[in-house]
Amino acid sequence: MLGAIIGDIVGSRFEFGEAPKKDFTLFTDDCGYTDDTICTVAIADAILHERSYQESLRDWCHRYPRPMGGYGGRFQDWLESDDPHPYGSYGNGSAMRVSPVGWLFQDYHDVMNEAKASAACTHNSEEGITGAQCVATVIYWLRTCRINRDEVESAVQRNFHYSLPTIEEVMKIGRTGHFDATCSETVPMAVRCFLESENFEDAVRKAVLADGDTDTKGAITGSIAEAYFDIPDNITEKALSYLPKDMLEIIDEFIDTIGKE
């Protein structure tokens, strides 16, 4: 969860701005949390307090109606509806918010079922659900040592039918100006950025340098990298300094809960 939030904040200033350059500064005054962080906190809150995913997402997004970069159009309509229904999205929003599921459930089948439920209140397409399940399951596999990093690519291909691009392809796609907005694009690229990284910071940097949907690619890559690498304390502390009190309270409760497992 912290990895997703860090990746979101680091990538936030590049999504609609200039392309990132090598050795870019991780945190500046132009950074901020986006809908990725708000929705990630909402998923954690839902699990920790036994709320429905729909209720928690709508609650948190109504608390913060104008995040940096805004909400997607159909998601905004869903938030404003008096009678919200899933709208078949296959966008990467289901994958960027799912990381708490990979940490807070202790059985593979529970992780798969809860990842599906966290997606399906909005992203009830096969692609939207698969993206969420893939990210949550890779986190679960890595943090519980069910598989090692060398086995991730084949496990993702076998279980979720994603073919991962090379890191060269990841970097080329973003630099062409293509904006990777779907699960089927962003999730495989994020997994590859993790697999080619040397540490947590390097993973997030690679994801952001790939350009395109920088905050979401950073969030998904960061969420996976957190399950394998230690996050430097100074990076965590700086990222958390951007967040309001109620988000920090959920994050503290999340950390306390996984620390007890």
Side-chain angles (χ1 to χ4, degrees):
M1 178 180 180
L2 285 174
I5 293 168
I6 293 166
D8 174 41
I9 294 170
V10 171
S12 62
R13 67 188 174 101
F14 298 110
E15 182 174 358
F16 301 109
E18 293 184 4
K21 296 179 174 61
K22 187 177 180 181
D23 299 324
F24 65 88
T25 302
L26 288 180
F27 301 103
T28 73
D29 291 342
D30 294 324
C31 292
Y33 64 86
T34 79
D35 60 322
D36 297 30
T37 290
I38 296 168
C39 291
T40 297
V41 170
I43 296 301
D45 184 19
I47 299 167
L48 291 169
H49 299 127
E50 299 182 352
R51 309 174 71 188
S52 75
Y53 293 115
Q54 175 173 297
E55 174 193 356
S56 191
L57 282 166
R58 284 169 60 84
D59 173 18
W60 280 93
C61 294
H62 286 148
R63 294 189 206 185
Y64 297 95
R66 290 175 292 277
M68 184 176 183
Y71 294 108
R74 288 199 293 168
F75 187 77
Q76 184 71 56
D77 291 341
W78 181 81
L79 290 174
E80 294 175 357
S81 173
D82 293 331
D83 185 25
H85 294 282
Y87 49 90
S89 176
Y90 49 87
N92 54 26
S94 60
M96 58 79 166
R97 70 194 189 203
V98 77
S99 56
V101 172
W103 287 93
L104 291 171
F105 292 94
Q106 310 307 318
D107 175 81
Y108 167 78
H109 298 290
D110 290 341
V111 170
M112 287 285 286
N113 289 336
E114 293 297 324
K116 178 178 181 179
S118 76
C121 57
T122 52
H123 294 56
N124 60 328
S125 67
E126 181 178 357
E127 187 174 336
I129 290 168
T130 297
Q133 288 179 322
C134 178
V135 173
T137 301
V138 171
I139 291 168
Y140 168 75
W141 281 337
L142 289 170
R143 75 170 181 83
T144 59
C145 300
R146 294 297 195 275
I147 64 175
N148 60 45
R149 187 158 73 146
D150 293 338
E151 298 170 314
V152 167
E153 182 168 2
S154 61
V156 165
Q157 291 174 335
R158 183 172 60 254
N159 288 272
F160 303 103
H161 310 295
Y162 283 140
S163 179
L164 304 188
T166 66
I167 193 65
E168 291 78 16
E169 289 169 335
V170 171
M171 296 300 170
K172 182 178 179 181
I173 290 168
R175 296 296 174 171
T176 64
H178 178 69
F179 194 84
D180 52 302
T182 66
C183 277
S184 62
E185 293 178 309
T186 309
V187 172
M189 287 193 281
V191 174
R192 176 58 72 195
C193 288
F194 160 68
L195 290 176
E196 298 298 326
S197 60
E198 298 179 1
N199 51 52
F200 176 83
E201 180 179 338
D202 185 46
V204 171
R205 283 186 176 279
K206 280 183 166 62
V208 174
L209 280 169
D211 209 11
D213 195 354
T214 49
D215 61 331
T216 298
K217 198 146 47 195
I220 296 172
T221 302
S223 71
I224 295 170
E226 179 188 10
Y228 187 79
F229 296 116
D230 290 333
I231 303 176
D233 289 343
N234 64 311
I235 291 180
T236 297
E237 290 168 7
K238 183 61 178 178
L240 294 182
S241 72
Y242 288 85
L243 303 183
K245 180 180 178 182
D246 56 353
M247 292 188 193
L248 294 174
E249 288 172 350
I250 296 297
I251 293 167
D252 285 344
E253 186 175 355
F254 170 83
I255 292 171
D256 287 345
T257 299
I258 64 173
K260 295 173 184 176
E261 299 298 340

